[in-house]
Amino acid sequence: MWVVVRCTECRGAARVTTLSVGQEVRCPHCARPFVAVEEAALMVPGPGWVPPPAAPFSRRVSNPNTNTPPTLISPAEDDDDFEPDWDDEPDDADADDANAAPASDSHDFDHDPHAETAGTVPASVLIGFALLPFLIPILWMIAPVVINRTPTMTIAAPLSLATAAGVLCLAVISTIDWTPSTRIKGVLFLVVLSYLTGVGLFFLDKDTVDRVRKFFGVESRWVVSQPPGQGYQIKAPAGLSEDRGSPPLGLITLTCFQATQRDVLGSTKFVIGSSPDPKLGIPRNVMLPALGSDAWFRLVIEEIVAQANGTLQEQPRQLKYADTLFPGREFLIKLPEGTYRVVQLFVVKDRVYYLAVEGPAVVPDDNIVLRFFESFEVTDAK
């Protein structure tokens, strides 16, 4: 079979057999040697395109006794009775070169790997695949009910993951150089990868979260604060400021201060409050049970849960302030927005102290929670 090649020097066209493709030949126009490469055909002609005139027919002649490259002979230099070998049977000169050529050179491949495959995939199907990652936030909200496990991170994590995966899927769909099958494979790969990432984030353990917080320098921003006249000191992120929001407890007047820590895992709020100093003679509510008794703690905890519009996750745990006789309680509240609040209450010398850490999936044994609670010290307890 004959194919068209073009000289790399003068751009002149000639024809050689498929056995000569990839070998060095000589141009019949400028006599320069070049490697024979089949000229690609124009797949989609542009506006006003006119087919070029047929290239002059040429025949390749080689000398088996020399190492010189074969020469392309034009019809003007050849005899008049030459006929092309259309049955692809090589002549004697071609047979010598055929023995040195790879076996694959003798085959004719009609498939163009760059051509668009027959048939297309509807755009609605591709867009439907691109929207699959947005099921991750829905599954994120359903999973805690089904498997009774609370994720460490907030709903913002799967929402961000779904948005990023959806944008990447749309980018793959918009790629014009890929075939429909390649686009589908790319979209499905991104969808599977996003689901695996969502599962990993859902089951992320608290120790890993604490290490991430420590890596991003959370500990370096904590300072010791001692609000005047409150009778305590505590270490909190970036200091404390007065909390002017809704009081956490309505039965007892509390002066509260708060601090907020923001990092890659979300926002965590720290609150500490204390009742007025009993030495100032401010009377307490005489309708309440004895201060620090079990009945008093039970009533106050119910009031705190009601004020937060949340639900108590487990029975309160009894505590003792600094291993002394001063009683305390610790309990966990689930808030309506899906976050959690760990609360500690102490009654020290007829004064009530309220400590709380609120954030995404916080639990009493978190390192960040323990650090805040353990740094609490009543300065007038002795």
Side-chain angles (χ1 to χ4, degrees):
M1 181 176 180
W2 299 85
V3 295
V4 177
V5 297
R6 190 172 293 276
C7 176
T8 57
E9 293 291 332
C10 68
R11 306 304 299 165
R15 291 186 180 182
V16 298
T17 64
T18 55
L19 298 178
S20 300
V21 175
Q23 300 186 19
E24 191 176 42
V25 296
R26 190 178 299 278
C27 177
H29 306 284
C30 64
R32 297 287 186 91
F34 67 97
V35 176
V37 178
E38 181 180 1
E39 186 177 19
L42 185 62
M43 299 300 297
V44 181
W49 179 80
V50 179
F57 183 78
S58 302
R59 184 179 63 176
R60 185 177 60 83
V61 179
S62 60
N63 187 354
N65 299 324
T66 63
N67 294 327
T68 58
T71 303
L72 295 175
I73 306 300
S74 63
E77 301 169 345
D78 204 357
D79 55 302
D80 296 335
D81 57 352
F82 173 75
E83 293 293 337
D85 194 2
W86 295 111
D87 58 357
D88 288 343
E89 291 294 333
D91 53 15
D92 295 340
D94 292 334
D96 296 335
D97 293 336
N99 295 330
S104 60
D105 290 343
S106 60
H107 298 285
D108 181 22
F109 297 95
D110 295 331
H111 173 67
D112 186 359
H114 300 287
E116 186 76 9
T117 57
T120 58
V121 178
S124 58
V125 175
L126 295 175
I127 295 177
F129 284 137
L131 295 178
L132 287 178
F134 287 94
L135 291 177
I136 298 177
I138 300 177
L139 297 177
W140 190 283
M141 294 184 293
I142 297 176
V145 180
V146 177
I147 64 176
N148 195 23
R149 178 188 175 94
T150 303
T152 303
M153 310 182 76
T154 62
I155 192 65
L159 282 174
S160 302
L161 176 63
T163 303
V167 171
L168 289 176
C169 289
L170 292 177
V172 171
I173 293 173
S174 303
T175 305
I176 61 175
D177 295 334
W178 292 1
T179 62
S181 60
T182 304
R183 297 176 193 174
I184 293 178
K185 292 177 183 178
V187 170
L188 292 180
F189 174 79
L190 292 174
V191 170
V192 172
L193 184 62
S194 64
Y195 273 83
L196 293 177
T197 304
V199 172
L201 293 177
F202 184 88
F203 290 98
L204 189 68
D205 58 87
K206 299 297 296 184
D207 293 336
T208 304
V209 173
D210 292 335
R211 286 195 294 268
V212 171
R213 283 195 174 107
K214 185 176 181 180
F215 176 80
F216 282 94
V218 173
E219 294 190 359
S220 62
R221 301 195 296 266
W222 286 55
V223 296
V224 177
S225 299
Q226 187 173 1
Q230 302 303 314
Y232 64 83
Q233 69 176 19
I234 196 168
K235 183 179 290 185
L240 294 174
S241 60
E242 187 174 356
D243 186 4
R244 300 184 182 277
S246 301
L249 181 60
L251 298 176
I252 300 175
T253 302
L254 294 177
T255 302
C256 296
F257 294 84
Q258 68 170 359
T260 302
Q261 173 181 287
R262 295 179 177 85
D263 52 34
V264 294
L265 301 177
S267 178
T268 306
K269 182 180 179 181
F270 304 84
V271 178
I272 182 170
S274 61
S275 63
D277 190 346
K279 298 176 182 179
L280 301 179
I282 301 177
R284 64 184 181 87
N285 194 334
V286 295
M287 300 298 296
L288 294 177
L291 189 64
S293 63
D294 291 341
W296 181 89
F297 275 114
R298 185 163 52 251
L299 182 62
V300 171
I301 290 174
E302 291 177 357
E303 172 68 12
I304 293 175
V305 174
Q307 287 285 104
N309 195 22
T311 56
L312 189 65
Q313 294 299 105
E314 54 189 20
Q315 290 298 320
R317 183 169 66 96
Q318 293 188 5
L319 299 176
K320 294 291 185 180
Y321 168 72
D323 295 330
T324 62
L325 297 177
F326 301 118
R329 296 290 189 275
E330 182 182 74
F331 52 96
L332 178 65
I333 304 174
K334 184 176 181 180
L335 303 177
E337 57 270 21
T339 59
Y340 290 82
R341 179 188 297 174
V342 184
V343 180
Q344 282 190 357
L345 279 176
F346 292 104
V347 178
V348 181
K349 289 188 175 182
D350 293 334
R351 194 167 188 178
V352 180
Y353 295 93
Y354 170 90
L355 297 87
V357 179
E358 179 181 325
V362 295
V363 292
D365 59 350
D366 282 352
N367 291 340
I368 194 172
V369 175
L370 294 176
R371 184 178 185 187
F372 180 72
F373 287 162
E374 293 174 356
S375 66
F376 170 68
E377 180 182 352
V378 179
T379 55
D380 58 356
K382 298 180 181 179

